Amino acid sequence: WDVVNPTSVYARSKAAGEAAVLKAFPKAIILRPSIIFGREDAFINRFAGLIRLLPLVPVIGATTKFQPVFVGDVAKAVVAALQSGRGGVFTLGGPRVLSMLELNEWIAKATARPKFFLPVPDFAAKILAVATGWLPAAPITHDQFLMLGRDNVVAPAEDGLAALGITPTPMEAASKAAPAHQIFRSARSMKGCTVASGLATVSTPMMRAPSFTGAATCMTELRSSPGTVRVARAPYSPRSVRATSFQRE
Protein backbone atom coordinates (compact mmCIF):
# COMPACT_ATOMS: atom_id res chain seq x y z
CA TRP A 1 0.00 0.00 0.00
CA ASP A 2 1.03 3.62 -0.44
CA VAL A 3 1.88 4.99 3.00
CA VAL A 4 2.80 8.41 1.58
CA ASN A 5 -0.45 9.18 -0.22
CA PRO A 6 -2.96 6.40 0.48
CA THR A 7 -6.29 6.63 -1.32
CA SER A 8 -8.35 3.79 0.13
CA VAL A 9 -9.68 3.50 3.69
CA TYR A 10 -7.77 0.23 4.00
CA ALA A 11 -4.45 1.85 3.03
CA ARG A 12 -5.04 4.86 5.26
CA SER A 13 -5.74 2.60 8.24
CA LYS A 14 -2.55 0.63 7.56
CA ALA A 15 -0.50 3.83 7.29
CA ALA A 16 -2.03 5.19 10.50
CA GLY A 17 -1.37 1.91 12.29
CA GLU A 18 2.27 1.86 11.22
CA ALA A 19 2.74 5.49 12.29
CA ALA A 20 1.22 4.78 15.70
CA VAL A 21 3.40 1.70 16.22
CA LEU A 22 6.60 3.48 15.19
CA LYS A 23 5.76 6.43 17.45
CA ALA A 24 5.38 4.14 20.44
CA PHE A 25 8.13 1.69 19.44
CA PRO A 26 10.73 3.33 17.16
CA LYS A 27 12.58 0.01 16.75
CA ALA A 28 9.50 -2.01 15.84
CA ILE A 29 9.56 -4.53 12.99
CA ILE A 30 6.99 -3.91 10.27
CA LEU A 31 6.33 -6.44 7.51
CA ARG A 32 4.45 -5.37 4.37
CA PRO A 33 3.70 -8.47 2.28
CA SER A 34 2.24 -8.37 -1.19
CA ILE A 35 -0.47 -10.93 -1.95
CA ILE A 36 0.20 -14.02 0.21
CA PHE A 37 -0.51 -17.36 -1.40
CA GLY A 38 -0.86 -20.74 0.28
CA ARG A 39 -3.30 -23.57 0.86
CA GLU A 40 -6.04 -21.50 2.50
CA ASP A 41 -5.36 -17.99 1.26
CA ALA A 42 -8.39 -15.78 0.67
CA PHE A 43 -7.15 -14.20 -2.56
CA ILE A 44 -5.99 -16.79 -5.05
CA ASN A 45 -8.56 -19.31 -3.79
CA ARG A 46 -11.31 -16.78 -4.45
CA PHE A 47 -10.30 -16.40 -8.07
CA ALA A 48 -9.77 -20.15 -8.40
CA GLY A 49 -13.40 -20.57 -7.37
CA LEU A 50 -14.59 -18.08 -9.97
CA ILE A 51 -12.51 -19.74 -12.66
CA ARG A 52 -14.02 -23.09 -11.70
CA LEU A 53 -17.58 -21.78 -11.99
CA LEU A 54 -17.60 -19.25 -14.85
CA PRO A 55 -17.08 -19.99 -18.55
CA LEU A 56 -16.07 -16.36 -19.15
CA VAL A 57 -14.18 -14.72 -16.28
CA PRO A 58 -14.29 -10.90 -15.92
CA VAL A 59 -11.06 -9.41 -14.56
CA ILE A 60 -11.19 -6.10 -12.69
CA GLY A 61 -7.92 -4.20 -12.42
CA ALA A 62 -6.41 -6.36 -15.14
CA THR A 63 -3.21 -4.31 -15.40
CA THR A 64 -2.60 -3.87 -11.65
CA LYS A 65 0.62 -5.60 -10.66
CA PHE A 66 1.20 -7.92 -7.71
CA GLN A 67 4.21 -9.82 -6.40
CA PRO A 68 2.72 -12.95 -4.76
CA VAL A 69 4.73 -14.22 -1.80
CA PHE A 70 4.55 -17.74 -0.37
CA VAL A 71 3.12 -18.01 3.16
CA GLY A 72 6.08 -20.14 4.21
CA ASP A 73 8.47 -17.35 3.21
CA VAL A 74 6.44 -14.82 5.19
CA ALA A 75 6.66 -17.12 8.23
CA LYS A 76 10.43 -17.38 7.77
CA ALA A 77 10.59 -13.58 7.53
CA VAL A 78 8.78 -13.23 10.86
CA VAL A 79 11.30 -15.52 12.55
CA ALA A 80 14.33 -13.96 10.81
CA ALA A 81 13.20 -10.43 11.66
CA LEU A 82 12.69 -11.33 15.32
CA GLN A 83 16.05 -13.07 15.49
CA SER A 84 17.84 -10.15 13.84
CA GLY A 85 17.36 -8.02 16.92
CA ARG A 86 16.84 -4.85 14.89
CA GLY A 87 13.81 -2.91 13.81
CA GLY A 88 12.87 -1.83 10.34
CA VAL A 89 10.33 -2.06 7.56
CA PHE A 90 10.46 -5.05 5.22
CA THR A 91 8.36 -5.25 2.07
CA LEU A 92 7.85 -8.91 1.18
CA GLY A 93 7.29 -10.17 -2.34
CA GLY A 94 7.95 -13.26 -4.39
CA PRO A 95 10.38 -13.55 -7.31
CA ARG A 96 7.80 -12.74 -9.98
CA VAL A 97 5.62 -9.72 -10.72
CA LEU A 98 2.26 -10.51 -12.32
CA SER A 99 -0.64 -8.37 -13.45
CA MET A 100 -4.10 -9.31 -12.24
CA LEU A 101 -4.86 -10.76 -15.67
CA GLU A 102 -1.62 -12.77 -15.73
CA LEU A 103 -2.34 -14.03 -12.22
CA ASN A 104 -5.78 -15.28 -13.27
CA GLU A 105 -4.24 -16.95 -16.32
CA TRP A 106 -1.67 -18.64 -14.09
CA ILE A 107 -4.41 -19.94 -11.76
CA ALA A 108 -6.39 -21.30 -14.69
CA LYS A 109 -3.33 -23.13 -15.99
CA ALA A 110 -2.34 -24.42 -12.53
CA THR A 111 -5.83 -25.78 -11.89
CA ALA A 112 -6.07 -27.26 -15.40
CA ARG A 113 -9.10 -25.12 -16.21
CA PRO A 114 -8.36 -23.08 -19.34
CA LYS A 115 -10.75 -20.14 -19.54
CA PHE A 116 -11.53 -17.01 -21.50
CA PHE A 117 -10.86 -13.78 -19.61
CA LEU A 118 -12.52 -10.41 -20.14
CA PRO A 119 -10.65 -7.36 -18.76
CA VAL A 120 -13.21 -4.96 -17.28
CA PRO A 121 -12.62 -1.27 -18.15
CA ASP A 122 -11.96 0.96 -15.15
CA PHE A 123 -15.07 3.10 -15.70
CA ALA A 124 -17.27 0.00 -15.70
CA ALA A 125 -15.54 -1.39 -12.61
CA LYS A 126 -16.06 1.91 -10.78
CA ILE A 127 -19.77 1.96 -11.64
CA LEU A 128 -20.08 -1.63 -10.40
CA ALA A 129 -18.22 -0.82 -7.18
CA VAL A 130 -20.31 2.27 -6.42
CA ALA A 131 -23.62 0.64 -7.34
CA THR A 132 -23.15 -2.71 -5.59
CA GLY A 133 -20.23 -2.22 -3.20
CA TRP A 134 -22.52 -1.77 -0.21
CA LEU A 135 -24.02 -5.26 -0.64
CA PRO A 136 -22.80 -8.03 1.71
CA ALA A 137 -21.66 -10.24 -1.19
CA ALA A 138 -20.59 -7.46 -3.56
CA PRO A 139 -18.16 -8.52 -6.30
CA ILE A 140 -16.02 -5.49 -5.46
CA THR A 141 -16.33 -2.60 -3.02
CA HIS A 142 -15.40 0.99 -3.76
CA ASP A 143 -12.46 0.71 -1.39
CA GLN A 144 -11.21 -2.39 -3.20
CA PHE A 145 -11.55 -0.57 -6.50
CA LEU A 146 -9.36 2.24 -5.15
CA MET A 147 -6.79 -0.29 -3.94
CA LEU A 148 -6.58 -1.78 -7.42
CA GLY A 149 -5.47 1.61 -8.67
CA ARG A 150 -2.03 1.04 -7.12
CA ASP A 151 0.48 -1.74 -7.82
CA ASN A 152 1.33 -3.98 -4.87
CA VAL A 153 5.00 -4.77 -5.49
CA VAL A 154 8.36 -4.38 -3.78
CA ALA A 155 10.18 -1.18 -4.78
CA PRO A 156 13.88 -1.61 -5.71
CA ALA A 157 15.10 0.50 -2.77
CA GLU A 158 13.03 -1.36 -0.14
CA ASP A 159 14.35 -4.11 2.12
CA GLY A 160 12.63 -7.42 1.48
CA LEU A 161 13.18 -11.16 1.83
CA ALA A 162 16.77 -10.89 0.59
CA ALA A 163 17.64 -8.53 3.45
CA LEU A 164 16.48 -11.26 5.83
CA GLY A 165 18.49 -13.96 4.06
CA ILE A 166 15.45 -15.64 2.50
CA THR A 167 15.21 -16.82 -1.10
CA PRO A 168 11.63 -16.27 -2.31
CA THR A 169 9.70 -19.34 -3.40
CA PRO A 170 8.21 -19.20 -6.92
CA MET A 171 4.56 -20.09 -7.28
CA GLU A 172 5.56 -22.90 -9.64
CA ALA A 173 7.93 -24.39 -7.06
CA ALA A 174 5.28 -24.31 -4.35
CA SER A 175 2.93 -26.25 -6.62
CA LYS A 176 5.43 -29.13 -6.89
CA ALA A 177 4.45 -30.25 -3.39
CA ALA A 178 1.24 -31.56 -4.96
CA PRO A 179 -0.41 -31.82 -8.38
CA ALA A 180 -1.14 -28.31 -9.63
CA HIS A 181 -4.91 -28.71 -9.44
CA GLN A 182 -4.63 -29.63 -5.76
CA ILE A 183 -2.84 -26.48 -4.59
CA PHE A 184 -6.10 -24.87 -3.62
CA ARG A 185 -8.40 -25.84 -0.79
CA SER A 186 -11.03 -27.20 -3.17
CA ALA A 187 -8.92 -30.38 -3.22
CA ARG A 188 -10.20 -32.10 -0.08
CA SER A 189 -7.70 -34.96 -0.26
CA MET A 190 -4.79 -32.66 0.58
CA LYS A 191 -4.09 -32.08 4.25
CA GLY A 192 -2.05 -29.12 5.46
CA CYS A 193 -0.23 -28.62 8.71
CA THR A 194 -0.54 -25.26 10.44
CA VAL A 195 1.29 -24.10 13.53
CA ALA A 196 -0.21 -20.99 15.11
CA SER A 197 1.44 -18.78 17.71
CA GLY A 198 0.68 -15.38 19.13
CA LEU A 199 3.06 -13.78 16.64
CA ALA A 200 2.52 -15.57 13.38
CA THR A 201 0.92 -18.47 11.56
CA VAL A 202 3.33 -20.85 9.87
CA SER A 203 2.20 -23.43 7.32
CA THR A 204 4.34 -26.39 6.34
CA PRO A 205 4.26 -27.89 2.81
CA MET A 206 1.15 -29.90 2.05
CA MET A 207 1.21 -33.68 2.16
CA ARG A 208 -1.05 -36.58 1.40
CA ALA A 209 -2.38 -38.25 4.53
CA PRO A 210 -5.52 -40.27 5.26
CA SER A 211 -7.61 -38.54 7.89
CA PHE A 212 -6.85 -41.09 10.60
CA THR A 213 -3.08 -40.58 10.28
CA GLY A 214 -3.10 -36.85 9.59
CA ALA A 215 -1.95 -35.70 13.01
CA ALA A 216 0.94 -38.17 13.22
CA THR A 217 2.11 -37.32 9.71
CA CYS A 218 1.97 -33.62 10.52
CA MET A 219 4.04 -33.95 13.68
CA THR A 220 6.64 -36.04 11.85
CA GLU A 221 6.89 -33.40 9.14
CA LEU A 222 7.45 -30.64 11.67
CA ARG A 223 10.02 -32.54 13.72
CA SER A 224 12.00 -33.48 10.61
CA SER A 225 12.52 -29.79 9.76
CA PRO A 226 15.63 -28.67 11.64
CA GLY A 227 15.25 -25.58 13.78
CA THR A 228 11.50 -25.31 13.37
CA VAL A 229 8.87 -26.44 15.85
CA ARG A 230 8.25 -29.44 18.08
CA VAL A 231 4.56 -30.13 18.45
CA ALA A 232 3.50 -31.07 21.96
CA ARG A 233 -0.15 -31.69 21.12
CA ALA A 234 -1.80 -31.36 17.71
CA PRO A 235 -5.44 -32.48 17.49
CA TYR A 236 -6.50 -33.39 13.96
CA SER A 237 -9.30 -31.68 12.08
CA PRO A 238 -10.48 -32.28 8.49
CA ARG A 239 -9.07 -28.92 7.38
CA SER A 240 -5.75 -28.76 9.20
CA VAL A 241 -3.69 -29.83 12.16
CA ARG A 242 -3.22 -27.02 14.63
CA ALA A 243 -0.66 -27.04 17.40
CA THR A 244 -2.15 -25.98 20.73
CA SER A 245 1.22 -25.97 22.47
CA PHE A 246 4.72 -26.06 21.05
CA GLN A 247 8.29 -25.00 21.61
CA ARG A 248 11.05 -23.91 19.25
CA GLU A 249 14.06 -26.21 18.97
Side-chain angles (χ1 to χ4, degrees):
W1 54 89
D2 186 348
V3 297
V4 177
N5 186 29
T7 58
S8 66
V9 173
Y10 175 86
R12 289 198 297 272
S13 69
K14 289 287 187 180
E18 286 189 9
V21 168
L22 290 174
K23 183 178 180 180
F25 306 97
K27 295 183 179 181
I29 298 168
I30 295 178
L31 303 181
R32 298 174 183 165
S34 184
I35 297 304
I36 300 177
F37 69 91
R39 179 178 179 268
E40 296 199 18
D41 70 71
F43 187 85
I44 290 181
N45 277 299
R46 177 184 180 184
F47 292 106
L50 292 174
I51 289 171
R52 184 175 69 250
L53 295 174
L54 302 177
L56 177 65
V57 182
V59 180
I60 298 174
T63 61
T64 302
K65 292 180 174 59
F66 299 92
Q67 198 167 343
V69 58
F70 180 50
V71 63
D73 293 339
V74 175
K76 291 178 182 178
V78 172
V79 175
L82 290 173
Q83 291 177 340
S84 70
R86 66 183 181 92
V89 177
F90 300 90
T91 307
L92 310 181
R96 186 178 176 188
V97 175
L98 296 168
S99 68
M100 178 67 86
L101 177 58
E102 291 170 335
L103 185 57
N104 274 268
E105 291 172 340
W106 185 91
I107 296 170
K109 182 179 179 180
T111 55
R113 298 179 184 275
K115 296 287 181 172
F116 293 103
F117 295 96
L118 177 64
V120 178
D122 286 344
F123 77 89
K126 183 175 182 179
I127 293 174
L128 179 66
V130 172
T132 67
W134 55 273
L135 294 171
I140 184 172
T141 66
H142 186 251
D143 206 52
Q144 290 171 335
F145 171 76
L146 293 176
M147 290 168 57
L148 286 174
R150 303 287 180 90
D151 293 336
N152 191 342
V153 299
V154 181
E158 293 177 325
D159 286 335
L161 291 175
L164 296 169
I166 300 169
T167 301
T169 304
M171 297 177 71
E172 293 79 5
S175 70
K176 290 180 181 179
H181 64 282
Q182 292 182 332
I183 298 173
F184 308 103
R185 63 184 176 196
S186 58
R188 300 301 181 186
S189 63
M190 300 302 296
K191 307 301 177 187
C193 183
T194 302
V195 179
S197 74
L199 294 175
T201 297
V202 183
S203 295
T204 65
M206 295 175 294
M207 67 202 84
R208 285 187 177 275
S211 58
F212 58 87
T213 62
T217 305
C218 178
M219 287 188 283
T220 301
E221 174 79 5
L222 288 170
R223 287 170 177 163
S224 67
S225 302
T228 53
V229 174
R230 176 185 301 154
V231 177
R233 184 166 65 88
Y236 178 78
S237 72
R239 295 181 64 83
S240 63
V241 179
R242 297 190 180 276
T244 52
S245 59
F246 61 87
Q247 64 184 39
R248 186 166 304 282
E249 295 182 331

